[in-house]
Amino acid sequence: MKQVFRRVIDRRGRVLVADLPVPHVGPDQVLVQSHYSLISSGTEMGTLKKTPTELVRQTIADPWMRNVVKQTILATGPSQTVRRVWQEMVTPREIGYSGAGTVLALGDNVTGLKVGQTVAYAASGHAEVAAPSINHVVPVPDGVDLRHAAFVTVGGIAMQSLRRADLKFGETVAIYGLGLVGQLCAAIAKAAGCVVVGIDINPKANELATAAGAELVVNPSEGDWKRRISDFTGKNGVDATIICASSDSAEIINGAMEITRRQGRVVIVGYVKLDIHPKNFLYREIDLRYSRAYGPGSYHAGYEKGRVDYPFGYVRWTEKRNLEEFIRLIATGAVNPEPLIAGVYPVEQAQEPFDAIRQHALPGVAALISYGPDPDRSRTIQVSQRRKRDGKVGISLIGFGNHVLGMHLPNLKSLRDAELRGIASATGRNASAAAKGLDATMITTDVDELLADEGTDAVMICSNQPEHYGHLRAAISAGKAVFIEKPMVTKLEDFARLLRLMEDQPTLVTLGLNRRYSPLVDTLRSALKSPPDYVEYMIANPPLPADHWSLDPVDGGGRLVSEGEHFIDLCNLLIGRRPVSVTARALGKQPDDLRTLCNFSVTLHYDGAAATVTFNESGVPGFPRERISAFAKGQVAILDDFGKLTVWGQGKPRSQGSGLHKSMGHAEELEQFVKAVKGEPNHLLSWEGSCLATLCMFAAQESIRLGAEIDLDQFQRSLLDSASADEDDSAEDAGAVDPAADAVKADEAAAADDAAAADEAGTPDDAPVVID
């Protein structure tokens, strides 16, 4: 299929029409064959006009962005930061967020729609096939022109701004800025029984608003425009003004307040300079409000991804309900977008409308992109149909985010014994831009097709964390060697199932815990004459924003789940033994939801040794983000940020590394993985060691939940038992229902439990796992 992208650093505002595989459909998504998508002349052209210099200035001006850059430098070093920034600059970006078409497929959790139904959608780009979430898809009644339905998102934005203005029937509203959003604001306000005043410097825009029912239009470049509005309203001013214009001039915001009555409302939809004269607040008591996106649910990850909805009785107008209402207004004829359409352009000619908008040559305020009736619906695109080279390890990627682009790909390319094969991702967007340069064989949104590639010896799973379990299970079943980024899984029951699966289908699986491969970790271990009997691991990171993906209840799992395996594994490596038990506590107030746990302390109890991991969000510039202190007999070693090691004991303290160059073991980790796949001598983290880190992490979570010490052997056995019970339940569900047979099975299960208990009481535990 074809999709339109923008080039981040293209000064001429050029777009790219690329061939992509059809996107993957998640459980809360709808696959839609697009008929039309709307070009948002304001939002999209604003992004196309940006230059590299403007992006740098924007980053410098934004405190949050400045902090992100600073923390990235501290965490990964200048060279890695430059690489990531450059990747951000050259990767094409999706544009477009409003369209209409026909349903092709439905996610497992989607109800209320059917295949073949016409719908309008939001929050998906200009593409022949889109995959919006269910909360961004609304039905389109028969007879409604899909060209008009494609305005749905901008209509929702306009409707939400009117709701923020709190308008009543018969009130007068001024629309300042009669572009695409402003025209729809005027039309919807008219349909709602309001008196509309239009304000724009463009005579054509004013003519459109007049034709749509505005009772007064004025040009703010004319000196008497405020007087005309004052006279029109009987010297009272309008009840509300909605600013749909973008400008650095302070005249817009102050002019809007001057034409608004005392105790009226001013709503900002566009971006305007807020250099407000105090008298407007002091004497006129104006309420200043913002309108963000198209209703409640905007920027809430759970809502945007379709996992939750807000109760109708408590949140009357959500994003989706605003979209539905806009389509209803079109269906009844109350709003007619037809006069706004200046042209319809085939997707192959997508550059033309963008050029026309940029050059102010579009004879109207809106342009549509159209799509053919029979798009290519392949989920796999072959980039280079070649056999794997002799002596090479073929590695395919599942997931293609920033960590892969900035870290793993450069390291993979430096390995002479490895070659990249396929790339699988939910959309194929990033992969399509990089595949040829990387000499990849395919890009796909179907993981099964990637796993079927005969040239793929191993896969690296770098997808979203909740997807790890499904991808890992599929790769194990396909017999592929697996490198999986942490966390292995985010749910305890999934970990139990994996333990059982690996007993039945053992294969090479390692968890991406790179810190153990850091060169200074090797130096630390060599410097100590005996293994340490105590390790203290302090992590002092800056706090994450509340809306960070790792704190999302579903996609994240919290910092203990998302990051804890790293620190636990390094402690296990340094002590060199399997922990006996785990004790953990939340720092401060007990969290209501363990998945959002951000400050914690974990103590690992070994036979004759202990290790403590303390994670807190108290990081400050200049202090190490990670400090490992290892205490052995007569020696102490401290490693700061994997860049500086100091060892005390047996003479003068010895230091290595300046702290400026940090190597956290990413390259060395992949080198060992390739050696292991080839069957060569290696020191790759084994499946047993990987499992141990994950087991300890979940044990820590249970310890916090229960307020008790967790015995690891008992904990692991309980997980295996639960996995076996799940398998038995599945087998029973698959067969016929027979109450008598069920009774027999229950008696047999009870007898088996008794036998197992007796066996456990008299049988020693398995030999401990060697951590190396």
Side-chain angles (χ1 to χ4, degrees):
M1 70 162 198
K2 298 187 182 301
Q3 184 164 355
V4 181
F5 297 96
R6 68 177 174 91
R7 304 172 188 268
V8 177
I9 57 174
D10 194 321
R11 297 182 181 181
R12 290 180 287 178
R14 290 183 297 178
V15 298
L16 170 70
V17 180
D19 288 317
L20 263 68
V22 168
H24 169 76
V25 182
D28 302 301
Q29 291 177 294
V30 180
L31 196 68
V32 180
Q33 178 181 330
S34 301
H35 294 201
Y36 301 96
S37 61
L38 176 71
I39 297 176
S40 174
S41 53
T43 302
E44 293 178 51
M45 293 310 299
T47 60
L48 284 171
K49 291 177 182 177
K50 287 183 180 178
T51 65
T53 302
E54 289 173 324
L55 290 172
V56 171
R57 289 174 181 168
Q58 180 180 329
T59 300
I60 293 174
D62 187 332
W64 188 85
M65 288 297 298
R66 290 200 307 269
N67 186 61
V68 168
V69 174
K70 180 178 71 175
Q71 296 302 331
T72 303
I73 293 173
L74 291 174
T76 62
S79 60
Q80 172 65 9
T81 302
V82 169
R83 192 158 58 202
R84 287 185 63 178
V85 170
W86 175 249
Q87 196 64 52
E88 288 290 319
M89 297 287 278
V90 300
T91 300
R93 291 288 183 264
E94 181 179 86
I95 52 176
Y97 55 82
S98 188
T102 305
V103 174
L104 294 176
L106 303 172
D108 293 340
N109 297 338
V110 175
T111 59
L113 297 173
K114 60 183 180 181
V115 173
Q117 185 175 2
T118 54
V119 294
Y121 61 82
S124 290
H126 301 298
E128 286 187 299
V129 179
S133 81
I134 182 56
N135 283 343
H136 293 146
V137 181
V138 296
V140 175
D142 293 340
V144 173
D145 191 332
L146 288 183
R147 295 180 307 132
H148 299 168
F151 281 74
V152 64
T153 305
V154 183
I157 293 170
M159 188 164 293
Q160 175 63 12
S161 68
L162 292 167
R163 297 197 192 285
R164 291 288 294 147
D166 196 20
L167 290 166
K168 307 296 191 298
F169 181 82
E171 288 189 327
T172 301
V173 57
I175 312 297
Y176 202 141
L178 294 172
L180 181 53
V181 174
Q183 294 288 343
L184 291 174
C185 272
I188 296 169
K190 179 69 176 178
C194 295
V195 178
V196 177
V197 174
I199 308 169
D200 204 289
I201 60 174
N202 185 342
K204 292 182 179 179
N206 286 336
E207 290 173 8
L208 277 173
T210 300
E215 298 192 24
L216 174 69
V217 293
V218 297
N219 189 328
S221 65
E222 298 174 356
D224 65 343
W225 72 279
K226 296 175 189 175
R227 180 191 59 78
R228 291 180 61 195
I229 294 175
S230 178
D231 291 344
F232 179 78
T233 60
K235 307 299 183 182
N236 293 312
V238 299
D239 295 288
T241 299
I242 299 176
I243 301 175
C244 300
S246 296
S247 174
D248 290 330
S249 172
E251 171 59 27
I252 290 181
I253 185 65
N254 286 296
M257 289 192 165
E258 289 172 21
I259 66 171
T260 304
R261 68 168 174 84
R262 285 177 173 81
Q263 297 191 344
R265 292 88 65 194
V266 172
V267 178
I268 299 175
V269 183
Y271 293 90
V272 295
K273 188 174 183 179
L274 293 182
D275 187 4
I276 304 171
H277 197 288
K279 71 176 184 181
N280 290 320
F281 280 138
L282 179 61
Y283 296 114
R284 304 181 68 82
E285 295 184 308
I286 300 294
D287 286 347
L288 179 63
R289 306 174 182 181
Y290 272 91
S291 180
R292 186 178 71 167
Y294 38 105
S298 299
Y299 305 104
H300 173 203
Y303 185 92
E304 297 275 20
K305 294 179 180 179
R307 296 195 301 260
V308 299
D309 195 4
Y310 302 154
F312 186 95
Y314 293 91
V315 184
R316 176 62 182 89
W317 294 106
T318 60
E319 280 188 344
K320 184 169 185 175
R321 292 168 197 145
N322 275 335
L323 302 179
E324 289 172 336
E325 177 62 11
F326 180 72
I327 294 298
R328 188 191 70 81
L329 292 175
I330 293 177
T332 61
V335 173
N336 179 20
E338 184 64 32
L340 306 180
I341 301 174
V344 179
Y345 301 81
V347 65
E348 294 82 3
Q349 301 171 21
Q351 186 65 55
E352 293 183 23
F354 287 102
D355 288 342
I357 294 171
R358 183 168 54 88
Q359 297 164 6
H360 303 288
L362 191 73
V365 296
L368 295 167
I369 294 177
S370 64
Y371 304 92
D374 188 24
D376 183 355
R377 293 173 57 181
S378 302
R379 293 190 59 186
T380 300
I381 294 179
Q382 298 295 335
V383 181
S384 172
Q385 292 184 326
R386 57 175 172 79
R387 297 177 61 85
K388 187 184 69 175
R389 299 177 180 93
D390 292 339
K392 298 283 188 178
V393 173
I395 297 179
S396 291
L397 301 172
I398 300 176
F400 204 68
N402 288 334
H403 189 62
V404 172
L405 289 165
M407 183 64 71
H408 287 322
L409 281 178
N411 291 331
L412 271 176
K413 289 192 289 186
S414 68
L415 295 176
R416 64 180 184 178
D417 290 336
E419 70 170 43
L420 181 63
R421 297 290 297 178
I423 303 172
S425 66
T427 66
R429 183 169 61 245
N430 289 347
S432 68
K436 288 185 179 179
L438 298 171
D439 196 26
T441 59
M442 73 166 82
I443 57 175
T444 183
T445 58
D446 186 342
V447 171
D448 290 339
E449 291 199 28
L450 179 140
L451 294 175
D453 174 39
E454 294 182 356
T456 295
D457 302 304
V459 295
M460 294 180 63
I461 300 175
C462 310
S463 52
N464 291 335
Q465 293 182 2
E467 299 171 353
H468 282 190
Y469 170 69
H471 292 156
L472 179 54
R473 188 179 185 94
I476 293 172
S477 299
K480 305 295 184 182
V482 182
F483 172 104
I484 182 165
E485 275 292 356
K486 55 82 189 168
M488 183 184 296
V489 291
T490 58
K491 296 180 180 179
L492 183 60
E493 57 268 29
D494 289 342
F495 179 53
R497 296 185 186 105
L498 280 178
L499 291 175
R500 178 62 67 193
L501 177 64
M502 282 293 285
E503 286 187 348
D504 299 334
Q505 296 177 268
T507 188
L508 173 62
V509 176
T510 190
L511 187 58
L513 304 177
N514 53 280
R515 285 161 172 77
R516 64 166 37 232
Y517 303 97
S518 170
L520 282 183
V521 169
D522 284 341
T523 305
L524 185 157
R525 297 178 69 197
S526 300
L528 297 180
K529 303 303 181 182
S530 61
D533 49 29
Y534 180 65
V535 172
E536 183 180 78
Y537 200 147
M538 170 64 73
I539 303 96
N541 278 347
L544 292 175
D547 59 351
H548 192 272
W549 65 267
S550 69
L551 302 183
D552 182 87
V554 175
D555 287 348
R559 302 192 82 162
L560 174 58
V561 172
S562 297
E563 304 175 56
E565 289 157 313
H566 270 312
F567 320 124
I568 290 170
D569 173 67
L570 191 50
C571 290
N572 289 341
L573 175 70
L574 294 176
I575 297 292
R577 277 165 276 177
R578 175 187 173 92
V580 176
S581 62
V582 175
T583 304
R585 292 291 184 271
L587 303 181
K589 185 178 179 181
Q590 184 81 2
D592 293 330
D593 189 342
L594 294 177
R595 294 169 298 184
T596 60
L597 181 66
C598 292
N599 295 273
F600 55 85
S601 178
V602 177
T603 300
L604 304 163
H605 307 278
Y606 304 84
D607 184 9
T612 299
V613 175
T614 303
F615 189 107
N616 70 89
E617 294 186 320
S618 303
V620 294
F623 188 80
R625 293 164 65 96
E626 296 184 31
R627 168 170 284 180
I628 301 104
S629 303
F631 299 84
K633 290 179 174 60
Q635 290 180 289
V636 176
I638 295 181
L639 177 59
D640 285 333
D641 282 338
F642 303 92
K644 183 178 180 179
L645 172 67
T646 304
V647 180
W648 284 266
Q650 298 182 343
K652 185 178 180 181
R654 292 169 292 135
S655 296
Q656 183 169 337
S658 64
L660 296 177
H661 176 70
K662 304 172 183 178
S663 176
M664 298 185 72
H666 291 97
E668 294 81 359
E669 178 181 40
L670 288 186
E671 181 181 2
Q672 294 303 313
F673 179 59
V674 170
K675 285 183 177 180
V677 176
K678 293 187 71 175
E680 297 177 354
N682 64 86
H683 56 269
L684 184 72
L685 176 65
S686 66
W687 165 250
E688 290 77 13
S690 300
C691 278
L692 183 58
T694 304
L695 181 71
C696 291
M697 179 269 290
F698 279 121
Q701 192 177 50
E702 282 294 287
S703 178
I704 293 172
R705 185 177 69 86
L706 298 174
E709 184 175 346
I710 303 299
D711 182 283
L712 281 183
D713 287 340
Q714 291 181 6
F715 188 51
Q716 184 167 356
R717 283 196 294 270
S718 69
L719 294 178
L720 289 170
D721 290 344
S722 67
S724 298
D726 286 345
E727 291 177 358
D728 292 341
D729 290 343
S730 298
E732 290 180 14
D733 290 342
V737 177
D738 185 344
D742 287 347
V744 172
K745 289 177 182 177
D747 292 339
E748 291 174 349
D753 289 343
D754 293 339
D759 184 63
E760 181 179 326
T763 304
D765 293 336
D766 293 338
V769 176
V770 177
I771 310 303
D772 195 7

